[in-house]
Amino acid sequence: MRLGFPSGVRLRVASLLLLLAAHVACPHQATAWGRNAHKLVVNQAIDTLPQDIRGFFESYRSVLLQHVLDPFEAVAKTPAEKRNNHLYLDKYGKFPFESLPRSYKAAVAKFGKSKLEANGVLPWEIGVYSQKLTEDMKTGRWDDAKLDAAILANYVAETHDPFSTTENFDGKLTAQTGVNERFGTTLIDRYSSFFPMRPNDASFINDPTDHAFEVCLSSHSWLETILLADRNAYIAGKSYAYNDEYYDRFYNQAAAMLIRQLSEASTDVGSYWLTAWINAGRPTLPR
């Protein structure tokens, strides 16, 4: 028996079903920036450094590029490590999320450790690794410094990823499953050779943890714009597929945001490295 819906209604229902099916079928990952994004950020970050310390990071570029991916491996081995690479701000009310204290002790006292870890501790982990890198440089533990600088770079880059700041990190809450991977991995894999990256020179950061919170807030503010660009690019072709045409449309609409976030991430990574060196007393770095 065939229901007597008008043909226009049947067409719209069919289109909606195709849209939902494609979103369900699309793969997604737990983190938003992909591997190539992190490598791109590290490469650009080295160039933001002053001559006093650039030589050290230049000499160990390959080490940094390898170990910036260590947090990926840590999550794969120990899923609880995922708490370090995100902060679900929208779990704490509305922008600018003032209910969440920036002091870790105050946040634990207010919400409890289990809730904080479930929603992510990214800014505080950046504070921890900033201090680790400072101590490495102060005491001359250069092998540790290389590894901690790489891990710190990963976490700093994540603060610039809008999808690291929301419980809708994978798009499931808006029927856009996999949007994080499309934005933070596939667009970069497809188009990064055309990116006009322009990071600024690294500069001193007064409070590493507080700065990380500010960056998360700024990144979070771009979520709706990116989600709209993804939705428009998907629907515009009327083929309801994540094909070449979709990615070209998505890139045209989202490229400016993507390139800005990656450029600012590069500036910040360099700035965190520079800050650790300054706080360590400006030691002479080996090359």
Side-chain angles (χ1 to χ4, degrees):
M1 179 178 178
R2 183 176 181 180
L3 295 178
F5 291 126
S7 59
V9 173
R10 289 200 302 271
L11 180 59
R12 287 194 294 272
V13 171
S15 297
L16 178 59
L17 290 174
L18 283 171
L19 174 64
L20 292 174
H23 282 303
V24 169
C26 182
H28 62 281
Q29 56 189 47
T31 55
W33 284 149
R35 293 171 180 264
N36 286 338
H38 282 288
K39 290 182 177 182
L40 180 62
V41 167
V42 164
N43 261 326
Q44 293 285 327
I46 293 171
D47 296 334
T48 72
L49 297 169
Q51 290 299 324
D52 290 344
I53 65 172
R54 186 182 297 181
F56 172 77
F57 290 90
E58 282 277 12
S59 297
Y60 297 104
R61 186 185 292 268
S62 61
V63 175
L64 294 168
L65 289 172
Q66 175 186 350
H67 288 286
V68 72
L69 304 179
D70 282 2
F72 286 105
E73 313 307 328
V75 171
K77 293 177 182 177
T78 309
E81 289 294 312
K82 184 179 183 294
R83 66 182 178 270
N84 297 327
N85 66 19
H86 66 274
L87 176 65
Y88 297 160
L89 285 169
D90 34 23
K91 287 286 192 177
Y92 299 99
K94 296 182 179 180
F95 191 93
F97 311 105
E98 293 178 346
S99 69
L100 177 62
R102 296 188 179 186
S103 160
Y104 182 73
K105 288 184 178 180
V108 169
K110 184 172 183 179
F111 294 107
K113 186 175 180 180
S114 60
K115 179 172 180 177
L116 288 187
E117 293 194 349
N119 296 334
V121 295
L122 177 59
W124 295 300
E125 193 69 4
I126 286 173
V128 168
Y129 269 89
S130 295
Q131 187 59 37
K132 280 186 177 183
L133 183 57
T134 297
E135 292 301 318
D136 293 340
M137 291 181 168
K138 186 181 293 184
T139 57
R141 299 194 303 266
W142 303 117
D143 287 339
D144 290 342
K146 289 177 281 185
L147 298 179
D148 288 338
I151 294 171
L152 176 60
N154 180 292
Y155 293 143
V156 171
E158 287 298 329
T159 65
H160 290 268
D161 185 340
F163 292 102
S164 293
T165 71
T166 176
E167 62 177 326
N168 190 30
F169 69 91
D170 55 3
K172 286 195 293 188
L173 299 181
T174 51
Q176 294 172 266
T177 301
V179 62
N180 59 318
E181 187 169 6
R182 293 192 293 277
F183 178 76
T185 298
T186 310
L187 285 185
I188 294 167
D189 293 347
R190 281 174 169 255
Y191 303 103
S192 61
S193 60
F194 305 107
F195 285 1
M197 297 274 288
R198 295 187 181 88
N200 296 318
D201 291 341
S203 60
F204 183 76
I205 296 171
N206 289 316
D207 186 325
T209 300
D210 190 70
H211 183 76
F213 269 100
E214 289 298 321
V215 175
C216 284
L217 284 173
S218 176
S219 298
H220 189 85
S221 69
W222 291 108
L223 276 169
E224 290 303 320
T225 305
I226 297 168
L227 290 170
L228 180 61
D230 173 73
R231 193 177 303 118
N232 288 342
Y234 184 77
I235 293 172
K238 298 183 180 179
S239 59
Y240 303 105
Y242 297 112
N243 52 24
D244 291 342
E245 290 75 18
Y246 156 81
Y247 279 108
D248 285 343
R249 289 190 296 271
F250 190 26
Y251 179 73
N252 287 336
Q253 295 184 55
M257 289 175 284
L258 178 60
I259 293 167
R260 179 183 53 249
Q261 292 304 109
L262 291 171
S263 295
E264 291 181 357
S266 301
T267 299
D268 260 5
V269 168
S271 296
Y272 274 93
W273 290 342
L274 175 64
T275 297
W277 176 70
I278 292 173
N279 286 338
R282 302 173 187 261
T284 301
L285 303 183
R287 301 190 182 188

